[in-house]
Structure formats: structure tokens, C-alpha cells
Amino acid sequence: MPKTQFIVEPGAQQVVMTRDFNAPRELVFRVLTDPELIGKWWGPSDLTTDIQQMEMREGGAWRFVQRDKDGNDFAFHGIYHVVDAPRQVVQTFEFDGLPERHVLLETLDLDEKNGVTTLTQTSVYQSVADRDGMVAMGMESGATESLERLDALLQSQRVDS
Amino acid sequence: MPKTQFIVEPGAQQVVMTRDFNAPRELVFRVLTDPELIGKWWGPSDLTTDIQQMEMREGGAWRFVQRDKDGNDFAFHGIYHVVDAPRQVVQTFEFDGLPERHVLLETLDLDEKNGVTTLTQTSVYQSVADRDGMVAMGMESGATESLERLDALLQSQRVDS
């Protein structure tokens, strides 16, 4: 199975995540951006995801709320800046549960070669401390689980289509 | 006169710019965000600035077009993410004249102490190469000129008010 890789350089203020998928780029983009499918891969599998907003256009807002089995909510939101299907999405990302605002800029690039699509997500933080804090909170394991769920979903979509 | 300072660390993907103004924070924020006044301080003084959009709310767009005396246009645009008067603005920033999209995330913080307001603008780029390219294009001298014009404008506003 392809592995998710992270580049977290000391002192840098970004995290670069890459993963290959055995699927064409159009399909990967479609599954990544389909609000009906977000809940099937976004975040840990033991949480439900409610898509409250997902306006995929420049300046459009997105807001996803996850809920655990005890009813605790975790809300995330941001704004789309670039939506260039099936090549790129640039958006901001925030977690609502922090006392101060911390905004990151995420660039998602999809590149296809010989039927394999490479997803590269570059998350740029307002500071190195913000980046280090997010890494310390375990973002790598959370993101890895999301991409593993996405991979499984893509394989099922290939069978369906 | 207070000086504009830049922190451009080798290998980092941000530029931090700071400058003190002898003016209260409320006034600095008001002048910075008044579309009627943008043209009086934003960019080089030998260009005119046309404010085509300036929707100062989360998800709102901004678009400024500068024109030189030969009629050449230079367009800039972005999206507001955080508007927290008079403390902070977080927005994206793009120059339209590039073949590829290059988005930066700008955080503008205003902090007042003893009647002096410190402006700190942190511009985070999608890559170190993007940052280095912008610095090589002379962004420091352009930004310094803007803040000197802003300073002069603030002094005139203090006399007016």
C-alpha cells in the first residue's frame, strides 16, 4: 500500500504531505471535493462529520463539524482561494477550538503520471511555533488516517464507476 | 522618523515587516482600511490606485489596480480571512501578472503602547523560492515607500481630527 510521507523541517513553518493513489487525477479530485463523500474519509473514522458549508469557489467558505460519541463537537473552517479542478485547491484552514485565531494556508496539488496520482498538500503556518504546535498535537497520525480512508474510498469508487 | 524594519531569514518562507507610528491604534486601523484613503499611501507615489473591490469581512474580496503614467496596469487581489478591528487583519494576497498562481497569507497586527502603534505585517509564502523571488523583485523598497506615505498621511489626519 502506498505510504503517506511528511516533510517537517526543523525551524520551517510548513508541513508538506505527499501520498500516491492508484487512481486517475480526475477521480481523486472529484472524491476529494464531493461534499457527499467528505464524511467517509475526512478525519478519524470514529467521528461523524457534518458539512455545514462547502462553497467551492474563490472566496467561498467551508465549515466542517466533527462529533465524537460523547457529543463533543470539533469545528473547522476556512475560505477557498484557488479552485482549479482537477489540478489545485488553495484554501485557508482554522480550528475553532483555540482561544486565538491561527490561520494556515493549504495548497493541495494533484499530479498524475502513468495512472498514479500524487497528492501533495503544503500547509503553511503563521509561525514556526504554530507549525510545531500542530505537529505536537499529532496532526501526522490524523492526516495519515484520513488519506488511508480516502485511498480505500477511491478503490471502492473505481469498482463502482 | 521611525524606520521600517524587515526580518528576512535565510531559508525561511516569511517576511516580517515592522514600523512604529506616532498615532493611536484606532486611527492607524481606520486609515489602513479606508478605501477612500488607500490610494494616498498604497504602493509607489507615481502610480494611481483604483480600488475595484474592498469587502472587509471574512470571505470578502479585495482588488486594487495600479496604473503608471504610460497606462500599464498592475492588478493585485486577495480575500479577507480575519477582520478584527483595530487589532488584526488576516488576508491572502496575489499579484495578477504571474503565469502561475502564487498566494501569500498576510497577517497585519497593530499594537499600541504609550500612544505609539507598532504595525507588524507577517507575509507567509507558499515556498521559500516564492519568498526569495518577491524579495529579489524589490518588495522591501516598495513596502517601505508605502509605510512612509502612510506615516505622512497619519500625521495629516491627526491635524485634521
Side-chain angles (χ1 to χ4, degrees):
Chain A
M1 187 193 270
K3 287 261 300 232
T4 304
Q5 297 190 306
F6 293 87
I7 303 172
V8 184
E9 289 179 358
Q13 65 199 86
Q14 70 177 16
V15 173
V16 180
M17 176 177 77
T18 59
R19 187 186 175 106
D20 288 344
F21 297 96
N22 290 315
R25 183 163 74 163
E26 295 274 355
L27 177 63
V28 177
F29 192 90
R30 184 163 63 78
V31 169
L32 276 170
T33 57
D34 184 340
E36 300 290 319
L37 297 177
I38 298 283
K40 295 189 193 297
W41 66 271
W42 203 80
S45 60
D46 56 347
L47 302 184
T48 61
T49 303
D50 180 22
I51 310 301
Q52 298 195 337
Q53 267 184 309
M54 194 172 173
E55 307 161 343
M56 287 215 74
R57 53 172 174 76
E58 193 159 329
W62 66 269
R63 183 177 173 81
F64 304 165
V65 178
Q66 294 199 308
R67 176 165 290 184
D68 69 14
K69 60 183 186 330
D70 299 322
N72 300 307
D73 281 351
F74 308 92
F76 304 85
H77 78 278
I79 296 167
Y80 297 106
H81 190 107
V82 177
V83 179
D84 179 12
R87 208 180 64 85
Q88 188 179 64
V89 176
V90 180
Q91 64 183 42
T92 55
F93 176 102
E94 271 190 84
F95 171 47
D96 283 5
L98 303 173
E100 298 268 321
R101 309 274 313 245
H102 295 269
V103 183
L104 22 13
L105 184 67
E106 292 188 337
T107 304
L108 182 85
D109 289 300
L110 297 180
D111 192 38
E112 182 178 338
K113 210 172 198 172
N114 302 323
V116 174
T117 297
T118 302
L119 177 154
T120 305
Q121 183 181 274
T122 305
S123 302
V124 183
Y125 295 76
Q126 285 167 301
S127 67
V128 176
D130 276 11
R131 196 281 308 259
D132 290 346
M134 197 70 135
V135 171
M137 276 166 58
M139 64 90 78
E140 288 186 38
S141 66
T144 298
E145 185 174 353
S146 288
L147 294 192
E148 283 173 3
R149 296 180 71 198
L150 177 65
D151 190 43
L153 185 61
L154 280 166
Q155 300 318 316
S156 73
Q157 296 282 316
R158 282 177 74 95
V159 173
D160 293 352
S161 62
Chain B
M1 189 195 268
K3 287 260 300 230
T4 304
Q5 295 189 308
F6 293 88
I7 303 172
V8 184
E9 289 180 358
Q13 65 199 87
Q14 69 177 17
V15 173
V16 180
M17 177 177 76
T18 58
R19 187 185 174 108
D20 289 344
F21 296 96
N22 290 316
R25 181 162 76 164
E26 295 275 354
L27 177 64
V28 177
F29 191 91
R30 184 163 62 77
V31 169
L32 276 170
T33 58
D34 183 342
E36 302 289 320
L37 296 177
I38 298 283
K40 296 188 192 297
W41 65 272
W42 203 79
S45 59
D46 56 346
L47 301 185
T48 60
T49 303
D50 181 23
I51 308 303
Q52 298 194 337
Q53 267 184 309
M54 194 173 173
E55 306 161 344
M56 288 215 73
R57 53 172 173 75
E58 193 159 329
W62 66 268
R63 182 177 173 82
F64 303 165
V65 178
Q66 293 199 309
R67 177 165 290 185
D68 68 15
K69 61 183 185 328
D70 299 322
N72 299 306
D73 280 350
F74 307 93
F76 304 84
H77 78 278
I79 297 167
Y80 297 106
H81 191 107
V82 177
V83 179
D84 180 12
R87 206 181 64 86
Q88 188 179 65
V89 176
V90 180
Q91 64 182 42
T92 55
F93 176 102
E94 271 191 84
F95 171 47
D96 283 4
L98 303 172
E100 298 267 320
R101 310 274 313 244
H102 295 269
V103 183
L104 20 13
L105 184 67
E106 292 188 337
T107 304
L108 182 85
D109 289 300
L110 297 180
D111 192 37
E112 181 179 338
K113 210 171 198 170
N114 302 324
V116 174
T117 298
T118 301
L119 176 155
T120 305
Q121 184 182 274
T122 305
S123 302
V124 183
Y125 295 76
Q126 284 168 302
S127 68
V128 176
D130 275 12
R131 196 282 306 259
D132 290 346
M134 196 71 135
V135 171
M137 276 167 58
M139 65 88 78
E140 287 186 38
S141 65
T144 299
E145 184 175 352
S146 289
L147 294 193
E148 283 173 3
R149 296 179 71 199
L150 177 65
D151 192 42
L153 185 61
L154 282 166
Q155 299 318 315
S156 72
Q157 296 283 314
R158 281 177 74 94
V159 173
D160 291 352
S161 62

